Amino acid sequence: MQIKRSRERIVVDIPIVVTTVLDSLEGTIVDLSEGGAQVVGCTLPPRSQCQLDLDGHVVFGTVRWSEEDRMGIRFPYELVDGPLFDKLELARGGRRSPVPFQPRFTAPAMGGGFGRRAV
């Protein structure tokens, strides 16, 4: 069953620290949106409250689902600023930026092109 999401998830690779009242775990965000993230490399039980720490900036969340080595975290407030939002925007921009036009090499008017002998 496909779930209709209100925000587009963007593929990222962001190492973070997930902290609870009892523990700190290292993980990696592999997809991110303004409303939540999928974290691999660690897991917590569903409905656990946690915080994601990136470069000293904290984002709070609740574990919505959990598997053996990954979990989905929903943010109570959408990301609108901070380092995590900046990385999301950077990943989103890189994905949408067009490939710049590169004109083909044209030979100079005199003497032929590169690597060719002048006749």
Side-chain angles (χ1 to χ4, degrees):
M1 179 170 96
Q2 193 74 340
I3 298 172
K4 177 70 175 161
R5 298 184 183 275
S6 60
R7 295 287 188 174
E8 179 184 19
R9 294 183 295 171
I10 304 298
V11 175
V12 294
D13 184 20
I14 306 170
I16 57 161
V17 175
V18 180
T19 306
T20 67
V21 175
L22 301 174
D23 208 0
S24 288
L25 308 166
E26 292 185 13
T28 303
I29 297 175
V30 293
D31 75 45
L32 180 64
S33 73
E34 286 86 350
Q38 181 180 165
V39 177
V40 298
C42 62
T43 188
L44 295 168
R47 296 187 302 278
S48 298
Q49 301 292 314
C50 63
Q51 61 186 36
L52 308 180
D53 183 0
L54 174 66
D55 301 332
H57 187 268
V58 172
V59 175
F60 295 96
T62 302
V63 177
R64 299 293 294 191
W65 58 267
S66 180
E67 292 179 357
E68 190 174 311
D69 65 341
R70 65 187 64 231
M71 61 186 162
I73 298 176
R74 181 168 179 116
F75 307 139
Y77 305 103
E78 289 197 354
L79 296 176
V80 292
D81 63 1
L84 201 53
F85 179 75
D86 294 343
K87 289 193 180 279
L88 173 62
E89 288 296 299
L90 185 63
R92 185 176 281 144
R95 198 170 141 245
R96 292 186 178 161
S97 64
V99 176
F101 176 71
Q102 297 177 346
R104 300 187 98 183
F105 177 80
T106 56
M110 301 287 283
F114 176 77
R116 306 226 180 222
R117 288 190 209 181
V119 180

